[in-house]
Amino acid sequence: MADTAGKAAAKEIIRDVGKQLAAKKECPHKDLLVKLLRQAASALPKLKTQSDLLKPAIKPLSDSILKHGLLQQKDKDVRLLVSICVCEILRILAPKPGFSDADFRDIFQLLLGMFGELADTKSPYYSKRVELLETIANFNFCVIMLDVGCEDLVQKMFKIFFGVIRKEHSSNVFGAISSIVSALFKEKGSQALLEVILRGLLKDKKDKSPASSQLAVSVIENCSHALQPFVCRFLNHCILDRDNVKSELKESYHAIIFEIFQCAPEMLIAVVPNLAKELLTDQVDVRIAAIKCVGKLFSIPGRNVAQEYKHLFIEFINRFSDKSAAVRLNAVLCAKSFYLTNPPGEESTAVLSALEGRLLDFDEKVRTLAVTVVCDLAKSNLRPAPPEMITQAAKRLRDKKVSVRKKALQMLLDVYHDYCIKCSEGIIKLSVEFEQIPCGILLLCYDKDTEFGVQNIEHVLEEDLFPVALSVEERIRHWLFLFSHSESAHKNGIFTPAHEKALAAVLCQKKRLQFEMQNYLDLRTNEKNVSGSGEERFRKLFAKMSTCFPVKVKAEECFSKLHLAKDDDLFNTIKEILNELKFGSSQIMKDNFVRKITDMNTDFEFLQSLSTKCSFNIFSSDHVRCILDHLSEDKFGQGNLKKACVALLMIIVNAFPLLLRGSEERFCILLLEEKSPFCNELLQMLVKAGPYISVSLCVIYPFLERICLNGTRAQAKLAIYALSELIATSQQFTFPYLCKTLVDALESGQHTPTVLQSLGCMAQHSVSAFETHAEEITRYIVDNIFLAKEDGRSGILVSSRLSYEPGTSCELKIFGLKTLVKSFLPHQRTGVTRQIDEVLGIILQMLRAEISEGTHSENDKDHLRLAAATSVLKLSQLWDSHIPPDIFRQTVLMAKDHSSLVRRLFLKKTFKLIKNNIVHCKYLCTFALAASDSFEGSPKDDSLNYMEEVIKTRHIEAKVHRSSTVKRDATDNPVCAVIFLIHILAHDSDFPSQDSETEESFRSFFSPISFTIDALLNPSFVDGDMNRIHSVASDLRNIFNAIKRAEDALDIEKTSRLHFLANMGSKYLVEKEINGLSVSHTSTNILLPASLYKKSNAKQRECSGNHTKSAQKSLEDNSFVDADGQLCKRRKTLNAHKKTSHESRKQIISGEKENQNLISPESITCLGKPSSQEDSSCYCIKVY
């Protein structure tokens, strides 16, 4: 009853309002109009039932609205109330509200104005406008627009809706608008309306929740079937015939495809396959846009689009190898999102494989991006890439382009940091694949580019390799894992000798900088007491230290500026950093130093780098202690991990032996362990660290003595060296006792090889101790070893480089010879008072295979000859003046030995000694003779390479005028080797007969000389220095002329051979001159060795006999013939070879520094005139 009464009252109100308005001839004033319309707007909603019976009551109101033009009112209040009244009238009187088409147009224009004001959500009328919108949507009034021909207003309304919608709008607003738009498009869709929807779909796409896009999505979802034909037609035209599409949206059709696919993928079933055609088009920009679109489609989470569109996926994969680098770049960019959003399967595997292939792309930008994507995937917590991909990415650290290497280093370091943190947290285990990152970084030490190299990689290992907060224990875990996966421990080990060498190089450079910096600080402290040469010393120190920085010149300038600083605290802090061995303390000191220098005017970056290099941040005493703890506590169940501990410790101690300080007790426990498998390595560490650590001799001596008696030969050598380091101040008491013990053991015949090794090494460290028992030892070796008969192959066998191991007797002969040779080569170069003649006699017998007459094995004879020849090379360091010509000749002729392995090993040893300036260049004859060898497997190429390396090295030394503290024979020059080579060939038993053969037949025999001349005159060996070539050519001519004016000092009958070979050499030089080489003719003096040559005159001929008889004796005095042919006595300058008395004929090696490491007392020199300081026996011939 109440409801009926309410409707009646509302009906009366509406009728009354209509009458009042109708009674007015003109539109009432606003106040009255608003009052009446508000009454009507409040009453109309109460008439909920649609009925024509209400038309009489409503008709006056509707007519008045039209009569007074209220649909065109500008006032907001009036317009809103009119809109509400009109909508209610339409609802109540539907479907025949009684309005004309023109009236409807005015009505909808009014409503569109209301819709346009929906954007103002803070307006007091906002709620009423929303109610109005909902009413229109609920009763689908807008469809009338199509019935009355207001399609233009429909399009305008679409634009208004997509323009006013905001993210602040409630869901009912979104729903109402979506309902209206969907209903209209379903009723009568068109391309124009579609474009409005699509523009809304793309609008505000940068917003996280774009309202217009959400509205468009809602519309698409609500009327997908109605939209599909229009969408497919438009998009396919864009794909297949884009140039003829008039819409501006054709530029964004890929984005439209992606947006629609996310909300209504079924709409694009006829569109997506056509994208494959774009991937195959010739237009690069189209392929790029298509690959981006397809990549986004394939990366939609939760939808395995790649499986739905197989053909499209295949073309997508093919774009990774597109001919355009830009296309490949975009394909690589798509790989990351694809892998992270798609489940494991065939498609993901294919994408990873394609991505891995781009790591080897021929375009550097593609390779760089591929590395970046792989590293990003590796760091992802959602679904990391397979570790094997990191292995491939790490190889880009060796890329040919610097830009790729730099980016790879940056990205891989980030990956390694993430990996280290996860390992420390127990999330993942140590992985071979990830540990290849530091392996690749270490190999950058070999990079010659200024961006890398040892100087830059040192900083990477110091600061960037591990996360700052990573503990020492965790850092050691990673290092040990690397070393445990070395090539020696695993068949496919990742840590090779090249990596070890690189790490050692970094540590060596760091050590060198710290050493020189300590010297600088010490010198600076005593600067007031430094003489005028002090500044020069500072400059030299700066030059040395600057080589440890990437830019040497800049670093040297910074050192000079630092030197001018007056802040003593600054230098004291650097000194404290240098002396701090603990990792944590060192880092704190360095950080404090960096904070201190921040506000200084000095070069901040340089000082920061300097403090980093001075601190123990790669390895510290904490690292060493951690490794020793691992070993002593036996934390590893696998042997290769223990080996890794020892190998890492070896590298650390070799570079920084003082880091063992504080861990002596742990170290000694390991060293004294019974049957330790690492005895050799621990002994080497003891030798290295001996001067820096505190070890009680009473604790360690019994162990070392046992090693000297019962250990291996290698261990015995290390034990003697360790003792010499540990007892530097008391060796006069220790070594004599040990020597007596060793002599007793030698006579007992037990562990003879080891005892011989111990005695030989001890003789080098303590001459006085050995000299006491020298006669006794020598007699035992000669009588019981050299003169012993072969007793088979039983006994201790030592590995050999030859074809197989020698017999026991042969081994003992070699060991005995080594002991005697070492006893004449003391490290201090002083104190030897024994004769060397007996040892040289033994060596000569071995070279001639006379000492092995009882030996039937050819292999044993090979071993003995090689050992004897090597001994001559070693003895020539100090005793070259005592080595007779025949022993020298027999030694050099080892280059033509019948055993190819003997030849190769001897050549290798000779090359090493010559290159390191240990033996005289006259031994270059070895390479010349080997090059002419006609045996199978002749090492001619090796000989040429060795000769080239020596010539290059000596040329560089001459260019930089490298100074040496050691006085050397001034004739130590490759060109002088020709003098010795000619004499050797002249005494060759295979010298061709000059009577029966033509000169041409000597070409083969002459080949060693031609080989030497060719090498000496090869411009490529001296960096194209033609001045050097012309000088050498002149020297050679003068040498040949000098020889032609000399006689053979050993056998005058061989003089003709000497002259013949000299003539051949001169002719060969002439041939060179014809071929373009100019040989100058300059007057000079040529010094020839008096032991091999003499002046061609009667007086010299009388002396030749006496000289020949004494050729194998030690030469007390040397003589030369001056330019006038007068025989002159020359006093030797070497105290090392003086004899203390005529009766004893003992030879004493002087400890004077300038006489160390002497080379060849029988050398020749090409000088302007003979020098009174020459350490050789020569005579001078004036050559014109």
Side-chain angles (χ1 to χ4, degrees):
M1 293 292 291
D3 185 49
T4 303
K7 288 182 179 181
K11 184 176 179 181
E12 288 300 324
I13 293 172
I14 294 170
R15 182 183 289 113
D16 183 58
V17 170
K19 287 181 178 181
Q20 291 187 49
L21 289 173
K24 302 290 183 179
K25 293 183 178 181
E26 295 181 357
C27 180
H29 58 80
K30 178 182 177 182
D31 294 340
L32 177 60
L33 183 60
V34 170
K35 177 182 178 182
L36 294 174
L37 289 174
R38 187 174 287 122
Q39 291 176 2
S42 300
L44 285 169
K46 296 179 181 179
L47 303 178
K48 298 181 179 180
T49 306
Q50 293 181 348
S51 174
D52 290 338
L53 298 176
L54 297 174
K55 191 169 185 179
I58 297 175
K59 187 74 163 78
L61 177 62
S62 61
D63 289 343
S64 296
I65 291 173
L66 296 174
K67 173 186 175 181
H68 295 300
L70 299 184
L71 294 175
Q72 288 81 30
Q73 271 284 342
K74 303 299 182 183
D75 186 81
K76 289 185 178 182
D77 294 331
V78 175
R79 292 174 64 238
L80 176 61
L81 292 171
V82 170
S83 298
I84 294 173
C85 291
V86 170
C87 284
E88 290 298 325
I89 292 171
L90 291 175
R91 176 182 64 81
I92 296 169
L93 300 181
K96 296 180 180 180
F99 293 113
S100 66
D101 291 353
D103 295 335
F104 271 119
R105 186 174 186 85
D106 291 339
I107 290 171
F108 285 116
Q109 284 182 336
L110 174 64
L111 293 177
L112 290 181
M114 291 296 101
F115 296 156
E117 294 173 359
L118 283 170
D120 187 5
T121 58
K122 296 183 179 180
S123 171
Y125 305 124
Y126 175 71
S127 60
K128 292 294 184 181
R129 292 167 183 160
V130 172
E131 291 177 4
L132 181 65
L133 176 67
E134 290 178 331
T135 300
I136 295 172
N138 290 336
F139 293 96
N140 209 12
F141 291 157
C142 290
V143 177
I144 299 174
M145 300 171 72
L146 300 174
D147 296 335
V148 298
C150 295
E151 285 82 358
D152 59 326
L153 294 182
V154 172
Q155 185 175 351
K156 183 178 180 181
M157 184 173 63
F158 271 42
K159 292 179 180 179
I160 290 173
F161 279 148
F162 282 102
V164 301
I165 194 69
R166 298 289 184 272
K167 61 182 179 181
E168 295 84 7
H169 287 148
S170 58
S171 58
N172 56 329
V173 175
F174 273 93
I177 295 176
S178 176
S179 176
I180 293 171
V181 173
S182 300
L184 287 170
F185 199 92
K186 287 178 182 178
E187 191 69 24
K188 191 176 181 180
S190 67
Q191 184 68 27
L193 295 179
L194 173 65
E195 290 187 14
V196 176
I197 296 173
L198 295 181
R199 286 192 180 92
L201 186 67
L202 299 176
K203 188 177 181 182
D204 296 331
K205 56 186 177 181
K206 293 183 180 179
D207 196 340
K208 292 184 179 179
S209 57
S212 62
S213 296
Q214 291 179 10
L215 176 60
V217 169
S218 177
V219 171
I220 292 171
E221 290 175 343
N222 290 337
C223 58
S224 59
H225 291 292
L227 283 168
Q228 184 174 13
F230 293 96
V231 169
C232 290
R233 181 167 56 251
F234 170 70
L235 293 178
N236 282 330
H237 283 171
C238 289
I239 293 173
L240 303 175
D241 191 18
R242 187 163 67 101
D243 293 339
N244 292 325
V245 177
K246 304 302 181 182
S247 174
E248 295 179 356
L249 287 174
K250 67 180 181 179
E251 304 299 332
S252 305
Y253 70 94
H254 286 120
I256 293 171
I257 292 174
F258 175 69
E259 296 294 341
I260 293 177
F261 198 91
Q262 291 185 92
C263 58
E266 65 280 356
M267 289 178 58
L268 302 178
I269 292 176
V271 175
V272 173
N274 288 330
L275 291 173
K277 297 179 180 179
E278 287 193 322
L279 293 175
L280 294 171
T281 185
D282 293 335
Q283 297 172 285
V284 174
D285 59 332
V286 175
R287 294 205 304 276
I288 291 174
I291 197 71
K292 290 179 179 179
C293 178
V294 173
K296 291 170 68 176
L297 291 178
F298 287 163
S299 301
I300 297 176
R303 296 188 60 88
N304 200 342
V305 182
Q307 281 189 350
E308 296 178 25
Y309 298 94
K310 286 283 188 181
H311 177 68
L312 182 62
F313 176 73
I314 292 173
E315 292 304 326
F316 170 74
I317 291 296
N318 290 339
R319 289 317 98 211
F320 281 84
S321 55
D322 194 276
K323 62 182 179 181
S324 169
V327 176
R328 298 197 302 276
L329 276 171
N330 284 279
V332 170
L333 279 172
C334 297
K336 177 182 176 181
S337 57
F338 184 101
Y339 183 76
L340 294 178
T341 54
N342 282 272
E346 181 181 345
E347 292 78 17
S348 294
T349 303
V351 169
L352 284 183
S353 178
L355 175 61
E356 184 177 343
R358 291 312 95 210
L359 290 170
L360 299 175
D361 196 279
F362 53 82
D363 187 274
E364 62 182 285
K365 293 181 180 179
V366 179
R367 296 197 302 274
T368 301
L369 184 59
V371 170
T372 303
V373 172
V374 170
C375 291
D376 287 341
L377 289 177
K379 293 186 293 183
S380 172
N381 291 323
L382 296 175
R383 187 180 163 209
E388 295 80 8
M389 293 284 288
I390 291 297
T391 301
Q392 299 304 316
K395 293 180 179 179
R396 290 304 92 217
L397 290 171
R398 301 299 295 163
D399 196 276
K400 61 183 179 180
K401 290 292 184 179
V402 175
S403 60
V404 180
R405 298 200 296 274
K406 289 177 65 176
K407 187 64 175 180
L409 178 61
Q410 174 191 340
M411 297 303 300
L412 288 169
L413 282 172
D414 290 342
V415 172
Y416 195 71
H417 281 201
D418 184 71
Y419 159 74
C420 289
I421 293 171
K422 290 178 180 178
C423 286
S424 65
E425 295 173 352
I427 299 175
I428 59 177
K429 295 181 179 180
L430 295 174
S431 165
V432 170
E433 290 77 15
F434 283 97
E435 294 297 344
Q436 298 224 30
I437 295 175
C439 287
I441 292 173
L442 284 173
L443 289 181
L444 287 175
C445 290
Y446 300 100
D447 201 314
K448 295 182 179 180
D449 192 88
T450 55
E451 298 287 340
F452 304 101
V454 177
Q455 291 83 355
N456 288 286
I457 299 307
E458 178 188 345
H459 179 78
V460 173
L461 297 185
E462 291 169 337
E463 297 288 297
D464 302 331
L465 182 61
F466 295 110
V468 175
L470 199 67
S471 66
V472 170
E473 289 74 15
E474 283 296 319
R475 295 173 188 238
I476 285 297
R477 277 187 66 206
H478 289 278
W479 282 116
L480 292 181
F481 187 84
L482 270 181
F483 275 78
S484 66
H485 286 76
S486 63
E487 285 187 338
S488 59
H490 290 270
K491 182 178 180 180
N492 298 317
I494 61 172
F495 201 69
T496 66
H499 296 111
E500 288 192 30
K501 184 178 179 182
L503 178 59
V506 170
L507 297 180
C508 180
Q509 176 179 264
K510 190 175 183 70
K511 174 186 178 181
R512 188 169 64 251
L513 184 280
Q514 293 181 358
F515 176 77
E516 299 297 348
M517 192 66 195
Q518 189 68 58
N519 288 341
Y520 165 71
L521 293 174
D522 293 341
L523 183 60
R524 181 183 176 86
T525 303
N526 303 320
E527 185 176 7
K528 295 180 180 179
N529 300 324
V530 175
S531 62
S533 61
E535 289 301 322
E536 180 63 26
R537 293 178 62 186
F538 281 129
R539 283 193 293 271
K540 289 182 178 180
L541 285 172
F542 297 157
K544 289 180 181 179
M545 290 189 288
S546 62
T547 60
C548 300
F549 290 79
V551 184
K552 182 180 182 298
V553 176
K554 182 180 178 181
E556 199 164 350
E557 292 176 357
C558 291
F559 273 118
S560 298
K561 292 179 182 179
L562 177 64
H563 181 59
L564 300 177
K566 303 300 181 182
D567 188 354
D568 291 337
D569 290 339
L570 182 71
F571 296 100
N572 291 335
T573 304
I574 296 176
K575 195 165 188 176
E576 290 175 359
I577 294 175
L578 281 170
N579 295 330
E580 182 53 57
L581 304 182
K582 293 184 178 180
F583 182 75
S585 302
S586 179
Q587 293 297 95
I588 292 173
M589 285 183 178
K590 191 202 77 173
D591 293 341
N592 292 337
F593 178 78
V594 171
R595 282 193 292 271
K596 179 179 179 180
I597 63 175
T598 302
D599 300 327
M600 297 178 62
N601 295 326
T602 52
D603 194 320
F604 174 78
E605 291 185 2
F606 168 74
L607 288 178
Q608 185 181 30
S609 177
L610 178 62
S611 64
T612 300
K613 291 177 179 292
C614 289
S615 61
F616 288 96
N617 40 24
I618 301 178
F619 296 112
S620 66
S621 60
D622 294 331
H623 291 78
V624 172
R625 188 176 299 108
C626 183
I627 297 172
L628 291 174
D629 286 343
H630 279 300
L631 282 171
S632 58
E633 295 173 13
D634 197 16
K635 291 185 177 181
F636 306 118
Q638 300 179 6
N640 62 325
L641 290 178
K642 291 184 178 181
K643 292 179 181 177
C645 277
V646 174
L648 177 57
L649 192 60
M650 276 282 293
I651 287 183
I652 297 174
V653 172
N654 279 336
F656 303 106
L658 74 165
L659 292 182
L660 265 179
R661 189 180 298 166
S663 302
E664 290 91 343
E665 184 177 352
R666 294 181 180 86
F667 181 77
C668 287
I669 291 174
L670 289 172
L671 182 63
L672 300 178
E673 183 180 313
E674 289 290 337
K675 297 181 180 179
S676 171
F678 310 111
C679 182
N680 287 34
E681 292 83 356
L682 294 173
L683 281 171
Q684 290 181 49
M685 295 181 214
L686 181 62
V687 171
K688 198 74 176 178
Y692 304 95
I693 60 177
S694 300
V695 177
S696 176
L697 190 59
C698 62
V699 174
I700 205 76
Y701 178 80
F703 167 76
L704 295 177
E705 182 185 279
R706 187 170 67 252
I707 293 294
C708 290
L709 293 171
N710 305 323
T712 65
R713 284 178 57 83
Q715 292 172 352
K717 179 178 181 179
L718 292 171
I720 294 295
Y721 274 75
L723 276 173
S724 69
E725 296 293 344
L726 294 172
I727 60 175
T729 58
S730 60
Q731 58 179 301
Q732 63 270 29
F733 304 111
T734 305
F735 275 131
Y737 174 78
L738 178 60
C739 187
K740 180 64 171 66
T741 304
L742 291 172
V743 171
D744 293 341
L746 182 65
E747 293 177 349
S748 68
Q750 296 180 353
H751 304 286
T752 303
T754 300
V755 173
L756 287 172
Q757 176 78 309
S758 300
L759 287 170
C761 294
M762 189 181 63
Q764 293 183 296
H765 289 280
S766 179
V767 176
S768 59
F770 186 86
E771 288 284 305
T772 305
H773 303 276
E775 184 64 27
E776 189 177 353
I777 296 170
T778 304
R779 291 279 60 82
Y780 180 88
I781 293 174
V782 172
D783 296 340
N784 296 284
I785 295 179
F786 291 148
L787 300 181
K789 294 183 179 181
E790 175 66 44
D791 58 355
R793 295 185 55 82
S794 61
I796 302 174
L797 296 181
V798 179
S799 62
S800 171
R801 297 182 184 180
L802 299 183
S803 56
Y804 48 87
E805 298 174 351
T808 303
S809 176
C810 177
E811 281 184 333
L812 288 178
K813 287 181 173 65
I814 294 172
F815 297 154
L817 177 62
K818 287 183 176 181
T819 300
L820 294 178
V821 169
K822 287 179 181 179
S823 70
F824 284 93
L825 297 172
H827 293 315
Q828 298 300 323
R829 300 176 177 270
T830 183
V832 177
T833 59
R834 293 170 291 117
Q835 297 182 31
I836 197 174
D837 293 7
E838 185 174 8
V839 174
L840 293 177
I842 293 171
I843 290 174
L844 183 59
Q845 292 183 58
M846 284 188 174
L847 288 171
R848 294 173 176 173
E850 296 173 358
I851 204 168
S852 57
E853 290 180 353
T855 302
H856 301 289
S857 169
E858 287 298 324
N859 181 63
D860 285 354
K861 295 179 181 179
D862 293 342
H863 277 279
L864 289 174
R865 290 197 309 279
L866 180 60
T870 304
S871 297
V872 173
L873 293 176
K874 291 179 179 179
L875 287 172
S876 66
Q877 301 175 51
L878 286 178
W879 301 89
D880 206 16
S881 65
H882 297 268
I883 298 176
D886 55 344
I887 291 183
F888 167 72
R889 181 172 174 277
Q890 289 289 340
T891 301
V892 171
L893 286 176
M894 288 295 292
K896 300 173 70 68
D897 193 88
H898 67 273
S899 170
S900 60
L901 279 175
V902 169
R903 295 196 303 273
R904 291 185 182 278
L905 291 174
F906 180 70
L907 287 175
K908 186 176 181 180
K909 182 68 173 180
T910 305
F911 167 70
K912 180 179 178 181
L913 294 175
I914 296 177
K915 185 180 179 183
N916 294 331
N917 290 327
I918 295 176
V919 299
H920 195 280
C921 275
K922 66 182 181 179
Y923 285 96
L924 286 175
C925 299
T926 303
F927 306 140
L929 293 170
S932 65
D933 195 349
S934 60
F935 286 107
E936 182 180 355
S938 173
K940 184 172 184 179
D941 292 338
D942 291 341
S943 299
L944 183 59
N945 293 336
Y946 291 154
M947 183 74 85
E948 176 184 358
E949 187 68 23
V950 172
I951 294 174
K952 282 184 176 181
T953 302
R954 292 304 176 91
H955 177 66
I956 293 173
E957 292 174 3
K959 284 177 62 177
V960 300
H961 303 289
R962 188 172 68 178
S963 59
S964 175
T965 58
V966 178
K967 284 190 177 182
R968 302 180 56 83
D969 191 339
T971 66
D972 192 4
N973 191 313
V975 71
C976 300
V978 174
I979 298 174
F980 297 90
L981 181 59
I982 288 177
H983 196 275
I984 290 171
L985 293 177
H987 284 255
D988 195 318
S989 58
D990 294 330
F991 194 94
S993 172
Q994 299 181 45
D995 297 332
S996 57
E997 301 291 341
T998 63
E999 184 176 312
E1000 188 64 29
S1001 65
F1002 285 89
R1003 288 291 181 181
S1004 175
F1005 187 79
F1006 181 74
S1007 61
I1009 300 177
S1010 62
F1011 169 86
T1012 305
I1013 295 174
D1014 289 341
L1016 291 170
L1017 299 180
N1018 191 328
S1020 65
F1021 291 2
V1022 291
D1023 298 326
D1025 187 349
M1026 294 308 298
N1027 291 331
R1028 173 63 180 169
I1029 296 299
H1030 292 313
S1031 175
V1032 169
S1034 177
D1035 290 341
L1036 287 172
R1037 172 190 171 276
N1038 291 331
I1039 286 172
F1040 292 139
N1041 288 340
I1043 292 175
K1044 286 186 285 187
R1045 299 176 60 186
E1047 292 182 354
D1048 194 308
L1050 300 181
D1051 184 358
I1052 197 170
E1053 299 298 329
K1054 300 295 190 298
T1055 300
S1056 59
R1057 295 183 178 184
L1058 293 176
H1059 294 171
F1060 183 82
L1061 292 172
N1063 282 325
M1064 292 284 287
S1066 298
K1067 291 181 180 180
Y1068 194 78
L1069 272 180
V1070 172
E1071 293 178 5
K1072 284 282 186 180
E1073 186 173 3
I1074 293 174
N1075 292 329
L1077 177 66
S1078 175
V1079 181
S1080 60
H1081 300 270
T1082 58
S1083 176
T1084 185
N1085 291 323
I1086 297 297
L1087 292 177
L1088 300 178
S1091 61
L1092 303 180
Y1093 297 91
K1094 64 179 180 178
K1095 193 69 177 278
S1096 181
N1097 55 48
K1099 191 171 183 178
Q1100 284 288 340
R1101 191 174 296 113
E1102 291 176 2
C1103 298
S1104 64
N1106 296 329
H1107 178 77
T1108 303
K1109 293 179 181 179
S1110 60
Q1112 297 184 15
K1113 295 182 179 180
S1114 301
L1115 300 179
E1116 177 179 351
D1117 296 314
N1118 296 315
S1119 61
F1120 68 91
V1121 180
D1122 64 11
D1124 298 324
Q1126 298 298 318
L1127 180 63
C1128 302
K1129 285 289 180 181
R1130 182 194 224 175
R1131 185 172 57 85
K1132 296 175 67 174
T1133 61
L1134 290 180
N1135 292 332
H1137 306 133
K1138 281 186 177 180
K1139 298 179 181 178
T1140 57
S1141 67
H1142 178 71
E1143 293 78 16
S1144 64
R1145 300 182 63 189
K1146 292 184 178 179
Q1147 301 143 346
I1148 301 176
I1149 299 179
S1150 172
E1152 295 177 6
K1153 187 174 182 180
E1154 62 270 19
N1155 290 327
Q1156 295 178 11
N1157 201 24
L1158 296 172
I1159 304 296
S1160 183
E1162 294 150 344
S1163 60
I1164 59 92
T1165 306
C1166 300
L1167 300 171
K1169 60 181 180 179
S1171 172
S1172 61
Q1173 297 181 355
E1174 288 300 322
D1175 304 327
S1176 58
S1177 176
C1178 308
Y1179 72 86
C1180 178
I1181 293 181
K1182 186 74 171 180
V1183 180
Y1184 298 92

